[in-house]
Amino acid sequence: MAAIPAGKILLRDEGTRTNWTAEVRALLLAPHPVTRELYAAVMGEAPASPAGPRTPVTGVSWLDAVRFCNLLSETAGLEPCYSLGDDPDGLDVVCHWEAGGYRLPSEAEWEYACRAGTSGVRYGELDEIAWYRGNSGGVVHDVGTRAPNAWGLHDMIGNVWEWCWDVYDPAVYGPYRVFRGGGWYEPPRGCRASCRRRSHPTFRIDDLGFRLARSL
């Protein structure tokens, strides 16, 4: 996993036109999204798809991703980060940030790592760094086949959207969770470091996956 230094990030919601600043502790972040082969190795099987083993796993909900993180942590002999209940909306899931296991990145961690010290719309030229509507041919691609950012992270933009920990806006959207980064069918506007999307924690679709983080 890539070591991400501590820092600060200015986040923005374009819908409400609000900005907020978040402090980010140093962390570890996977250099690419979880692949179908890793997901299947941990969970016993991956969601049905014609995509190859080295493509990002898709068709996984936020709750699926949380369960995967805990099981991978247990398999690796690490303390799981999540306590899970039986709420179908996932509102009783608790993240133990100081635990040593695998988890989803927070939204602030995700954007901070995506930008890797840059401040533009994205960290490089779109066709060089991302699989998106203009070059993907309408399919998901193997991880790590586009140029990384300055911190060695691939596919932060494009290929698949990535679930984050955060609730999007509980006052308006209830339990909906954030996902980031744009996917293989997204036009350029959806493939920006600041672009935010959301859905219910049980939502599954073929251009949404996740990436692993660990606290330091």
Side-chain angles (χ1 to χ4, degrees):
M1 299 180 81
I4 308 300
K8 185 183 296 184
I9 182 72
L10 178 67
L11 297 151
R12 176 173 174 78
D13 182 79
E14 295 177 357
T16 59
R17 298 184 180 180
T18 56
N19 299 325
W20 65 101
T21 300
E23 299 281 345
V24 176
R25 293 184 180 183
L27 72 148
L28 299 175
L29 195 65
H32 54 71
V34 170
T35 61
R36 290 182 54 77
E37 63 182 359
L38 177 59
Y39 193 90
V42 173
M43 303 297 282
E45 62 179 352
S49 170
R54 290 289 296 166
T55 61
V57 67
T58 59
V60 290
S61 69
W62 183 88
L63 287 168
D64 292 333
V66 164
R67 294 185 185 105
F68 173 90
C69 289
N70 269 6
L71 186 53
L72 179 61
S73 297
E74 292 167 2
T75 301
L78 301 171
E79 181 184 1
C81 289
Y82 298 113
S83 296
L84 282 73
D86 54 9
D87 181 359
D89 292 331
L91 290 175
D92 57 356
V93 177
V94 176
C95 183
H96 305 285
W97 297 92
E98 303 304 321
Y102 295 97
R103 59 175 176 81
L104 297 176
S106 70
E107 182 177 17
E109 289 172 337
W110 189 96
E111 185 170 334
Y112 176 72
C114 176
R115 291 188 176 279
T118 66
S119 59
V121 172
R122 55 187 71 91
Y123 53 83
E125 293 297 323
L126 184 57
D127 278 297
E128 297 176 2
I129 67 171
W131 295 113
Y132 71 109
R133 187 180 297 185
N135 65 5
S136 70
V139 296
V140 67
H141 287 257
D142 284 0
V143 298
T145 51
R146 299 277 88 182
N149 69 10
W151 292 346
L153 304 173
H154 296 265
D155 303 310
M156 294 296 289
I157 300 293
N159 215 9
V160 294
W161 292 91
E162 299 178 12
W163 285 113
C164 295
W165 160 257
D166 306 65
V167 178
Y168 184 85
D169 183 348
V172 178
Y173 295 99
Y176 279 30
R177 299 282 174 163
V178 173
F179 49 89
R180 292 296 212 105
W184 53 264
Y185 193 65
E186 204 65 32
R189 178 169 177 76
C191 295
R192 293 169 295 137
S194 62
C195 191
R196 307 174 74 222
R197 297 282 173 87
R198 74 276 174 183
S199 195
H200 193 272
T202 59
F203 177 69
R204 299 179 178 94
I205 199 169
D206 63 357
D207 65 350
L208 174 57
F210 65 102
R211 181 183 304 254
L212 298 171
R214 286 184 66 193
S215 299
L216 289 175

